[in-house]
Amino acid sequence: DNFMISIVLLLVMSFTFLVAYLVHRFRTVIEAYLVRIFIKAFRPMKSSDYKTHVFIGYADEDVGFVRYILL
């Protein structure tokens, strides 16, 4: 009887940990989904919504990429 209770508690704790991890990992996706449900006028921005395209580079090699490949 105690063994069965221990197994159930282990499963509940494992499930709770898994749900907590997934909520933390996909928090942004969950928030966007909830916003789309409750705010009907909300829509994700598309690339055509942006008037200016920006490339931010942090390495010296990025200069060559922008100069020769992007432009």
Side-chain angles (χ1 to χ4, degrees), residues 38-52:
F38 293 112
I39 302 174
K40 299 299 182 189
F42 176 80
R43 69 172 179 80
M45 294 182 75
K46 299 176 184 171
S47 60
S48 60
D49 294 330
Y50 296 99
K51 303 299 179 206
T52 305

Side-chain angles (χ1 to χ4, degrees), residues 2 8 25 27 34 42 46 59 61 63 69:
N2 288 336
V8 169
R25 172 75 171 82
R27 185 183 73 222
L34 292 174
F42 176 80
K46 299 176 184 171
E61 296 83 23
V63 173
I69 297 176

Side-chain angles (χ1 to χ4, degrees), residues 52-67:
T52 305
H53 299 283
V54 176
F55 179 82
I56 299 174
Y58 296 100
D60 292 337
E61 296 83 23
D62 292 341
V63 173
F65 172 73
V66 173
R67 184 178 294 157

